[in-house]
């Protein structure tokens, strides 16, 4: 193209040169799109001279090879994406299991602590009861409402009331 041509005039000139072959090329491309390579090549050979047909065959082979390589690349990429997806799912599952295991361990520790606290409370209660029953001092305790909550045997002897009578 001459250097003074604008892109628009170049496009218009390409369209004019293309117009006679447009229908022919469209049919060839249609065959190629439908994976009918043999029909496309036969159409090229009958519609054009042998020299031009050989050039076009060569170009068709290049296009087919490029398409094959592109498909192989896409398949490899799809495999990578699938592998990454599977890896992501596996890692998510492992992390979920680790979280569940951590929660179970914490709950078990809390349960163990509660059991230990309960045993200590029972020991303390037994010790308190033993001390209250063994002491010779009268002990009486009441809550904020004036209800007697503690009345030991020494208080029973001193005051003449039984523990159950003070309720």
């Amino acid at each position: 193209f001459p250097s003074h041509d604008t892109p628009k005039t170049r496009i218009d000139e390409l369209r004019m040169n293309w117009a006679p072959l447009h229908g022919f090329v469209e049919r060839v491309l249609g065959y190629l799109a439908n994976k009918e390579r043999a029909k496309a090549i036969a159409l090229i050979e009958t519609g054009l001279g042998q020299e031009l047909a050989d050039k076009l065959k060569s170009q068709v082979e290049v296009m087919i090879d490029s398409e094959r390589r592109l498909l192989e690349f896409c398949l490899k990429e799809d495999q990578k994406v699938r592998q990454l997806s599977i890896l992501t799912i596996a890692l998510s599952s492992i992390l979920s299991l680790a979280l569940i295991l951590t929660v179970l361990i914490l709950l078990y520790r809390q349960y163990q602590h509660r059991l230990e606290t309960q045993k200590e409370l029972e020991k303390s209660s037994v010790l308190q009861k033993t001390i209250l029953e063994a002491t010779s001092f009268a002990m009486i305790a009441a809550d904020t409402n004036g209800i007697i909550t503690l009345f030991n045997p020494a208080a029973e002897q001193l005051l003449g009331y039984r523990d159950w009578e003070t309720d």
Side-chain angles (χ1 to χ4, degrees):
F1 294 110
S3 61
H4 65 277
D5 285 346
T6 64
K8 186 177 183 321
T9 58
R10 286 182 188 165
I11 291 171
D12 290 340
E13 189 173 330
L14 284 172
R15 281 187 182 142
M16 286 187 331
N17 290 337
W18 172 259
L21 294 175
H22 181 72
F24 175 78
V25 171
E26 284 296 317
R27 286 186 13 221
V28 170
L29 291 175
Y31 286 138
L32 290 175
N34 291 327
K35 307 289 188 222
E36 298 179 68
R37 185 173 160 245
K39 283 185 181 179
I41 290 173
L43 182 61
I44 291 169
E45 287 175 347
T46 58
L48 304 172
Q50 188 60 40
E51 183 181 333
L52 189 54
D54 290 341
K55 286 180 184 179
L56 284 175
K57 270 199 258 184
S58 165
Q59 289 300 316
V60 167
E61 293 297 328
V62 169
M63 287 172 47
I64 289 171
D65 186 55
S66 296
E67 183 180 337
R68 182 190 49 78
R69 283 184 288 157
L70 180 62
L71 285 173
E72 286 174 359
F73 175 77
C74 289
L75 287 174
K76 286 178 186 174
E77 290 301 310
D78 284 349
Q79 279 182 325
K80 288 178 185 177
V81 168
R82 276 189 296 241
Q83 288 171 347
L84 287 175
S85 297
I86 290 169
L87 182 61
T88 302
I89 291 168
L91 286 175
S92 297
S93 298
I94 290 170
L95 289 175
S96 296
L97 288 173
L99 180 63
I100 290 169
L101 185 59
T102 302
V103 168
L104 288 174
I105 289 170
L106 290 174
L107 286 172
Y108 178 75
R109 286 182 181 171
Q110 189 178 31
Y111 174 75
Q112 288 294 99
H113 180 69
R114 179 179 280 175
L115 286 178
E116 290 171 9
T117 304
Q118 204 170 13
K119 286 179 184 177
E120 289 175 17
L121 184 60
E122 287 173 6
K123 285 180 185 177
S124 176
S125 180
V126 168
L127 179 63
Q128 179 186 9
K129 187 174 179 182
T130 303
I131 291 172
L132 287 175
E133 288 178 0
T135 186
S136 59
F137 296 102
M139 293 187 163
I140 302 171
D143 64 12
T144 55
N145 295 325
I147 297 174
I148 296 174
T149 57
L150 176 76
F151 200 84
N152 73 343
E156 287 178 6
Q157 283 183 342
L158 180 67
L159 298 175
Y161 289 104
R162 295 274 191 197
D163 181 25
W164 55 271
E165 292 176 322
T166 60
D167 288 339

